[in-house]
């Protein structure tokens, strides 16, 4: 750990005057800086609250509030009886109104995307998959399984399904990008998707893949992609490790349904 990590918040070269911001905001900013500049590296245990309070020139209450905010952002993991540690993966910010691939999202944060596991098999559509793809139950579909990584660390588990009839030749040569495969090999363009979101526990099976506890949180995104004519192209179930992502939703407006009075302040 660099000695520069002991920079005090009293130094005016790094922070704005105290009168302009609260102590907690200043403490959070300094801790952000230290993590971003690798003064605290992945897996490092942070100094104790008393030590941080002395280094940052703030109270222990302020340090505790700052660490709580970092925990909520997914930057650190506070373990009871052990201490506070830098998370293995910095959160990846994703705006949920944009249908971007995981690779693009990971690369946008300066990290290297990868796929640690990938397999596919022909199977039969169950009731859920059939209803999502507009197929009869039992229709042949391709099930694509991938584990995506950021700098070698698993962050997303994906299950994708699409009709076997879309594939012109067998066996298919499916690469890391399903959209590219559907477009270049199958001649099918996915133009938009409709998704549902659900918070969930990682569970025992996926915990072994992610290398986390089974009671850690993940965000499950179930999405159907459609072509320009509105026909379903693929159905995906994505499990994103909550500590690795910071999903945000753009809400435009305010919009008022026609005929309804506004109750805005």
């Amino acid at each position: 750990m660099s000695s520069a990590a002991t920079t005090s918040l009293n130094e005016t070269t790094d922070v704005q005057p105290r009168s302009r911001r609260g102590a907690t905001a200043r403490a959070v900013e300094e801790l952000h800086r230290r993590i971003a500049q690798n003064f605290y590296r992945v897996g490092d245990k942070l100094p104790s609250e008393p030590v941080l309070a002395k280094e940052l020139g703030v109270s222990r209450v302020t340090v505790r509030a700052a660490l709580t905010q970092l925990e909520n952002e997914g930057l650190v993991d506070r373990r009871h009886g052990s201490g506070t540690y830098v998370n293995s993966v910095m959160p990846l910010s994703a705006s949920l109104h944009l249908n971007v691939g995981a690779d693009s999202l990971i690369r946008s944060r300066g990290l290297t995307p990868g796929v640690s596991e990938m397999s596919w098999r022909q199977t039969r559509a169950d009731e859920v998959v059939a209803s999502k793809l507009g197929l009869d139950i039992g229709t042949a579909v391709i099930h694509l399984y991938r584990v995506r990584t950021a700098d070698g660390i698993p962050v997303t588990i994906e299950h994708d399904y699409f009709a076997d009839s879309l594939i012109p030749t067998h066996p298919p040569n499916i690469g890391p990008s399903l959209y590219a495969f559907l477009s270049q090999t199958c001649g099918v363009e996915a133009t938009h998707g409709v998704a549902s979101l659900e918070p969930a526990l990682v569970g025992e099976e996926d915990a072994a893949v992610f290398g986390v506890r089974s009671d850690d949180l993940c965000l499950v995104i179930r999405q159907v992609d459609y072509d320009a004519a509105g026909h379903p192209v693929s159905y995906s179930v994505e499990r994103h490790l909550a500590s690795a992502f910071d999903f945000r939703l753009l809400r435009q407006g305010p919009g008022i349904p026609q005929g309804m009075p506004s109750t805005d302040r």
Side-chain angles (χ1 to χ4, degrees), residues 76-127:
V76 300
D77 180 22
R78 302 174 76 183
R79 305 173 189 172
H80 181 69
S82 177
T84 302
Y85 297 81
V86 179
N87 266 335
S88 59
V89 180
M90 295 299 100
L92 306 169
S93 295
S95 181
L96 291 171
H97 73 291
L98 296 176
N99 191 15
V100 298
D103 278 7
S104 299
L105 170 59
I106 293 169
R107 195 176 290 111
S108 71
R109 288 299 302 270
L111 303 176
T112 302
V115 177
S116 62
E117 295 183 53
M118 185 173 73
S119 63
W120 67 269
R121 64 188 179 94
Q122 186 189 69
T123 185
R124 298 291 173 178
D126 61 16
E127 184 176 356

Side-chain angles (χ1 to χ4, degrees), residues 74-223:
L75 289 172
V76 300
D77 180 22
R78 302 174 76 183
R79 305 173 189 172
H80 181 69
S82 177
T84 302
Y85 297 81
V86 179
N87 266 335
S88 59
V89 180
M90 295 299 100
L92 306 169
S93 295
S95 181
L96 291 171
H97 73 291
L98 296 176
N99 191 15
V100 298
D103 278 7
S104 299
L105 170 59
I106 293 169
R107 195 176 290 111
S108 71
R109 288 299 302 270
L111 303 176
T112 302
V115 177
S116 62
E117 295 183 53
M118 185 173 73
S119 63
W120 67 269
R121 64 188 179 94
Q122 186 189 69
T123 185
R124 298 291 173 178
D126 61 16
E127 184 176 356
V128 172
V129 172
S131 66
K132 297 296 185 182
L133 294 178
L135 303 173
D136 292 330
I137 296 175
T139 300
V141 296
I142 298 298
H143 175 198
L144 175 63
Y145 171 79
R146 290 169 295 178
V147 177
R148 294 195 178 272
T149 62
D151 279 358
I153 299 173
V155 294
T156 298
I157 296 174
E158 298 177 336
H159 296 269
D160 294 279
Y161 304 86
F162 58 94
D164 178 79
S165 60
L166 293 179
I167 302 175
T169 59
H170 284 75
N173 183 21
I174 305 176
S177 172
L178 176 59
Y179 290 152
F181 171 78
L182 291 173
S183 174
Q184 298 168 12
T185 302
C186 304
V188 177
E189 297 286 348
T191 61
H192 64 284
V194 177
S196 65
L197 289 74
E198 177 187 2
L201 298 179
V202 169
E204 294 289 346
E205 182 177 350
D206 289 343
V209 177
F210 283 131
V212 299
R213 299 188 304 266
S214 61
D215 60 352
D216 278 3
L217 293 175
C218 68
L219 179 65
V220 181
I221 301 180
R222 295 179 173 87
Q223 178 166 315

